[in-house]
Amino acid sequence: MMKHISVLIKPASSMCNLRCSYCFYANVSSLREVRSYGKMTEDVAKKMIENIYIDLEDGDELTLAFQGGEPTMAGLNYFKNIVALIDQQKKHVRVHYAIQTNGTIINEKWCEFFKEHHFLVGLSIDGHPLYHDLNRVDPKGRGTFYRVLETKQLFDRYEIDYNILCVLTNPLAKEGENVFRFLKEEEIDYVQFIPCLDELDSVEKSSYALTPNHFAAFYHQMLTLWLAELKNGRYISIKLFDDLINLLVHQQVSVCGILGNCQVQYVIEADGSVYPCDFYVLDEYRMGYIQENSLREMFEQEISKRFICERAVLSQTCHSCSFKQMCGGGCKRMKDAVYVDEQGLCGYQQVLKEFIPKIEEILRLLQEVRV
């Protein structure tokens, strides 16, 4: 039976050329003994690809996704070397490449490389110049919105497949109409809103961390505007809506945590250490080193089993919720941003209550747009 393995690689560890105020990885890495592992060496990269291929057979698929910090800080030659290493492997495996970037280092040489090797790029833009420049700043505190917009225009020119990654902070969640207008004006076809999280070790809630109430209010606005756009014949892919359609209509799980149970994600840090989830790249969750073990061997470690079995404690709201079976309490790391707040309100429940009754209308409209 053919399989598809996905691996998330951090080639420049937590190194970044920006100082985004809400960066969860800056927080995660600060809680480790080693904050940054620097850039991945050629030796680690070579052994990483060899050991990933141990578990693959002819006809399998592999997705290599690169993230950070800022992965482009590893340099273009690092990525050229990875592609060369993949090309040297004897097994016939279909390989997909993806990268998530702040877009500030990208130039035409990067674009030529992404285009040639069919990279899917996630480009971070916070959907509104004011809020983007409030949080996504360089080391001198200067906003980066227009620099990143130039990169987006480069991607358009090179016809690179990309989607926009928008960190949904509490203040930005109140700006649904402005965010949607930005998507339309910039002719963005794919967007993923990433709930902004409090720091893992936070004592009190920050001003930018999303709350379930604002999560629900934002998606209420999005759904209204998105449906109106669909009726006008234009489809914009909003990741959460796509994930819900995949789950409810096709019985496909297209995002981690949507059923409330954790899965091992295989996150490989620059030193070759492997972790089960991007949110928990912490010393206590280190499963081993890719230079020494295959992914299957690490999956069988006690740490992996413990991580999979650790579940969020369900609240009273969850136990009496009609969506309990399909949600299972959701992603444990996002519980304070998306799910149940101190008053017992669940943001995700509110979204489902509005979305599910409209599913037939949505499918009909999607059919019309795609025909």
Side-chain angles (χ1 to χ4, degrees):
M1 185 180 163
M2 287 187 295
K3 57 188 176 293
H4 190 160
I5 291 178
S6 293
V7 179
L8 184 65
I9 300 163
K10 294 183 176 287
S13 192
S14 61
M15 292 164 62
C16 190
N17 60 328
L18 298 189
R19 298 293 177 268
C20 302
S21 57
Y22 49 54
C23 179
F24 83 85
Y25 205 67
N27 168 241
V28 167
S29 57
S30 74
L31 302 174
R32 303 188 302 222
E33 201 172 302
V34 178
R35 184 185 278 263
S36 176
Y37 297 107
K39 295 179 185 179
M40 186 179 283
T41 65
E42 281 188 28
D43 190 44
V44 170
K46 184 172 185 289
K47 289 187 174 133
M48 173 179 74
I49 298 303
E50 286 170 358
N51 275 357
I52 288 171
Y53 265 73
I54 285 173
D55 296 322
L56 293 167
E57 306 296 335
D58 285 349
D60 286 348
E61 291 191 47
L62 169 67
T63 294
L64 297 180
F66 300 90
Q67 210 178 34
E70 174 49 41
T72 57
M73 289 192 78
L76 186 51
N77 283 339
Y78 167 85
F79 292 94
K80 287 180 175 175
N81 181 49
I82 290 286
V83 171
L85 288 167
I86 291 289
D87 290 345
Q88 287 163 22
Q89 303 307 309
K90 299 286 185 280
K91 292 175 186 171
H92 298 290
V93 172
R94 192 172 171 205
V95 181
H96 310 272
Y97 297 106
I99 187 168
Q100 186 170 332
T101 177
N102 63 36
T104 57
I105 293 173
I106 303 296
N107 57 22
E108 301 215 357
K109 282 187 177 168
W110 281 98
C111 289
E112 286 163 9
F113 175 78
F114 290 155
K115 184 66 181 171
E116 183 185 351
H117 299 287
H118 311 288
F119 268 67
L120 172 64
V121 184
L123 179 64
S124 294
I125 309 181
D126 279 358
H128 189 297
L130 175 70
Y131 291 100
H132 181 106
D133 283 347
L134 199 63
N135 295 304
R136 303 190 68 82
V137 295
D138 68 14
K140 292 183 178 173
R142 297 173 302 201
T144 57
F145 181 81
Y146 291 102
R147 171 71 193 87
V148 180
L149 211 55
E150 283 175 15
T151 296
K152 183 232 171 243
Q153 287 154 7
L154 259 186
F155 288 165
D156 287 335
R157 205 165 85 229
Y158 276 84
E159 297 180 338
I160 287 164
D161 287 332
Y162 69 90
N163 52 42
I164 295 301
L165 305 172
C166 176
V167 177
L168 189 59
T169 60
N170 227 29
L172 187 64
K174 300 169 192 171
E175 300 287 339
E177 282 190 27
N178 284 327
V179 171
F180 201 82
R181 189 181 306 123
F182 168 76
L183 298 176
K184 282 176 65 177
E185 284 171 0
E186 288 297 326
E187 297 182 346
I188 290 162
D189 294 326
Y190 297 90
V191 65
Q192 179 178 354
F193 296 105
I194 301 167
C196 183
L197 305 175
D198 249 327
E199 297 185 342
L200 260 173
D201 56 343
S202 66
V203 179
E204 53 187 63
K205 209 160 181 69
S206 68
S207 60
Y208 49 75
L210 188 63
T211 59
N213 192 24
H214 283 107
F215 171 85
F218 176 79
Y219 274 106
H220 165 72
Q221 272 197 304
M222 281 294 119
L223 185 58
T224 306
L225 295 162
W226 183 72
L227 279 171
E229 201 66 10
L230 264 182
K231 286 169 186 168
N232 287 332
R234 169 128 200 265
Y235 167 64
I236 297 174
S237 165
I238 294 177
K239 181 81 164 67
L240 178 62
F241 298 161
D242 289 351
D243 290 333
L244 287 176
I245 290 165
N246 284 334
L247 185 66
L248 297 163
V249 180
H250 309 298
Q251 279 78 53
Q252 290 172 350
V253 175
S254 54
V255 62
C256 177
I258 199 167
L259 298 177
N261 49 345
C262 288
Q263 299 161 312
V264 170
Q265 298 295 311
Y266 301 119
V267 182
I268 304 179
E269 255 288 4
D271 68 333
S273 53
V274 183
Y275 306 82
C277 172
D278 196 27
F279 291 135
Y280 295 95
V281 183
L282 299 163
D283 297 338
E284 60 262 40
Y285 288 107
R286 189 187 298 118
M287 294 153 61
Y289 290 86
I290 195 66
Q291 307 93 299
E292 299 162 11
N293 305 102
S294 71
L295 295 176
R296 181 175 287 153
E297 285 169 343
M298 277 182 273
F299 183 77
E300 288 162 359
Q301 302 286 332
E302 199 53 48
I303 289 173
S304 314
K305 293 170 186 168
R306 192 182 82 223
F307 178 79
I308 290 169
C309 293
E310 285 174 357
R311 294 180 72 117
V313 179
L314 297 187
S315 68
Q316 197 50 51
T317 304
C318 293
H319 288 300
S320 58
C321 177
S322 53
F323 306 117
K324 182 184 170 188
Q325 288 305 109
M326 69 169 278
C327 165
C331 168
K332 64 187 176 191
R333 182 64 180 96
M334 293 203 187
K335 64 182 192 304
D336 297 331
V338 173
Y339 300 98
V340 184
D341 67 13
E342 286 159 0
Q343 283 72 48
L345 177 135
C346 175
Y348 187 56
Q349 182 192 70
Q350 300 294 316
V351 171
L352 292 179
K353 277 181 177 173
E354 190 174 4
F355 190 86
I356 290 174
K358 293 187 168 78
I359 196 90
E360 300 222 343
E361 180 193 3
I362 289 166
L363 293 176
R364 181 178 53 77
L365 288 167
L366 286 172
Q367 189 93 25
E368 289 170 10
V369 168
R370 284 165 181 169
V371 169

